[in-house]
Amino acid sequence: MIESWRWYGPFDRITLPEIAQTGATGIVTALHEIPYGEVWPREVIAARNAEIKAAGFDWVVVESLPIHERIKRGEGDLSQLFANYRQSMAHLAAEGVTNICYNFMPLLDWTRTDLAAPVARGGSCLRFEASKMAAFELYMLGRAEAEADYTPEALQKAAIWHQQATEADKDTLLHSIMSGLPGAYDRYDIAGLKAALQGYDGLDRAALRSNYKRFLDEVIPAAEDLGMTFGVHPDDPPRDILGLPRIVSDAEDIDFILNAVDSPANGLTFCTGSLGANPANDLPALARRFAPRVHFAHLRNVRKDPDGSFEEAAHLEGDTDMVAVIAALLAEGTASGRVIPFRPDHGHELLDDAARGTHPGYPLVGRLRGLAELRGVMAGLRYNGA
């Protein structure tokens, strides 16, 4: 497996020379400055790739080539958006960048309610607090039907939080929820989010699946021609959010996607954190089952609560048997001869991480700790013949 590191290019507070000191050899990045739906110019891709190579790395995964929301909604004439997407693919392939990670989550990307929840023995982590999300939906957005999406315990805590919350608390919660959009240009206030959600009225699970299949029909044949692979990132969290359906959350969803266009180019980004937040998912079993179609791995751990809350755990702690997952991916590499890139996903803010002001979930020290732990697991498994 290729040790890689997510880098946000000119927006990142962590430099390529600093990343080099982690021992990672691959870079995972994107052209975050280009608005969704526009073509990525080949010369801009080439310049970014040259910068990465000059620092001693390979650009191993594009994360991500984002999908315009109109495609997810199935709205209007999409021919130009699909053509632009395929042109960006062609430009990437021409520069030797052929592995694309993407997601099909409508409107919001990963969603958390707390960006600096305290961790035992110091440091902080990302957290999804079900009661805070319920308070946001019910009392800040006024979405009464959200009551059906939460446990009685979460709803009771939501009411208490709302009664006690200051305007600053509400602003912080909105900021946290919006922070999962690192490459997007849209950041919403409450009025803006309400307006944006109206564009998804009537979009149910079946409609979103249909729109997703259309996307795959449009891009996977081009990926085959270009020698590219696609790996869809699972929903984070793996549950409906703000009344919007999410359709990449469990084994049944993944089966649908991989069979919608049955091609080796149509694959999965195996994110142990996103899939691990669903109590119904058996991560080692999923890794063994879908390993032949895994093109990229995000390795992180979560600790779940009965009310649907969860938080980022240390990479070898939490609820997921990380050793078993890694063993399955290493076995796939041995069997197929493929080398799967992975990165230590999300990390605790440790030591002086908080002072850097990095993207939420992407500190230097916390991810370095995670990479070192994952590297140790892989070394031990290889020593024992895995």
Side-chain angles (χ1 to χ4, degrees):
M1 297 179 75
I2 300 172
E3 296 181 6
S4 59
W5 190 275
R6 190 170 192 180
W7 178 59
Y8 287 97
F11 302 111
D12 208 318
R13 302 290 181 87
I14 300 170
T15 67
L16 289 172
E18 287 175 319
I19 296 170
Q21 295 180 52
T22 71
T25 58
I27 290 294
V28 176
T29 193
L31 303 183
H32 297 292
E33 63 272 26
I34 297 180
Y36 290 13
E38 293 188 8
V39 174
W40 287 13
R42 181 173 176 180
E43 60 272 18
V44 179
I45 295 169
R48 186 64 51 82
N49 202 12
E51 181 181 7
I52 290 167
K53 288 185 179 298
F57 297 98
D58 293 318
W59 186 353
V60 292
V61 179
V62 177
E63 187 176 352
S64 59
L65 182 58
I67 301 167
H68 199 280
E69 292 300 308
R70 283 182 53 211
I71 292 174
K72 298 174 189 177
R73 294 193 297 262
E75 177 185 290
D77 181 1
L78 300 175
S79 56
Q80 190 60 56
L81 285 175
F82 284 128
N84 288 356
Y85 201 96
R86 289 190 294 267
Q87 188 62 65
S88 296
M89 291 167 56
H91 288 167
L92 285 162
E95 295 300 324
V97 185
T98 59
N99 192 343
I100 293 176
C101 167
Y102 70 101
N103 75 73
F104 213 79
M105 291 179 268
L107 191 60
L108 295 184
D109 203 310
W110 60 263
T111 304
R112 299 292 187 273
T113 59
D114 298 270
L115 302 182
V119 173
R121 302 184 69 187
S124 65
C125 69
L126 302 179
R127 180 171 174 82
F128 179 88
E129 184 69 42
S131 60
K132 284 188 178 180
M133 195 69 200
F136 180 79
E137 295 205 53
L138 288 167
Y139 303 112
M140 294 173 65
L141 280 182
R143 201 176 77 82
E145 57 269 32
E147 186 170 329
D149 296 337
Y150 297 92
T151 66
E153 177 189 2
L155 292 172
Q156 183 179 22
K157 289 181 179 178
I160 295 171
W161 185 89
H162 174 67
Q163 290 168 359
Q164 298 176 346
T166 65
E167 288 304 311
D169 292 333
K170 295 175 185 178
D171 289 343
T172 298
L173 179 57
L174 175 63
H175 171 73
S176 297
I177 291 170
M178 290 295 104
S179 291
L181 297 168
Y185 278 72
D186 293 327
R187 288 292 188 275
Y188 303 107
D189 57 14
I190 293 297
L193 183 56
K194 286 181 178 180
L197 285 169
Q198 289 177 358
Y200 298 83
D201 284 349
L203 183 73
D204 60 13
R205 179 179 176 84
L208 187 59
R209 271 191 166 185
S210 177
N211 297 340
Y212 189 7
K213 185 179 187 309
R214 180 181 176 188
F215 168 76
L216 294 173
D217 287 336
E218 292 279 354
V219 304
I220 295 302
E224 293 173 337
D225 292 341
L226 293 165
M228 305 186 84
T229 55
F230 272 64
V232 63
H233 188 286
D235 301 325
D236 187 9
R239 53 168 293 164
D240 293 357
I241 292 288
L242 307 179
L244 300 173
R246 292 198 162 186
I247 57 171
V248 194
S249 295
D250 57 23
E252 193 270 334
D253 289 339
I254 297 168
D255 264 333
F256 169 82
I257 294 159
L258 299 185
N259 290 318
V261 178
D262 190 4
S263 164
N266 178 29
L268 175 67
T269 293
F270 197 89
C271 179
T272 53
S274 298
L275 292 169
N278 184 343
N281 287 336
D282 179 335
L283 271 292
L286 291 179
R288 290 188 292 268
R289 177 175 174 180
F290 294 115
R293 298 282 280 273
V294 170
H295 299 311
F296 181 34
H298 288 179
L299 301 181
R300 63 181 171 90
N301 223 318
V302 295
R303 183 177 294 107
K304 300 183 287 293
D305 297 330
D307 69 350
S309 302
F310 64 90
E311 67 182 26
E312 311 280 2
H315 285 73
L316 300 186
E317 299 174 9
D319 298 334
T320 294
D321 185 345
M322 190 66 71
V323 176
V325 169
I326 292 172
L329 297 178
L330 287 175
E332 166 59 23
T334 299
S336 67
R338 295 190 302 126
V339 183
I340 300 171
F342 79 93
R343 64 175 179 83
D345 194 17
H346 294 182
H348 291 172
E349 283 195 332
L350 304 174
L351 302 174
D352 65 348
D353 276 334
R356 279 180 170 262
T358 57
H359 289 77
Y362 291 93
L364 177 59
V365 178
R367 280 188 291 166
L368 175 56
R369 173 187 170 181
L371 178 59
E373 292 177 345
L374 297 170
R375 181 183 293 143
V377 168
M378 292 177 191
L381 287 168
R382 291 191 183 102
Y383 181 82
N384 285 288

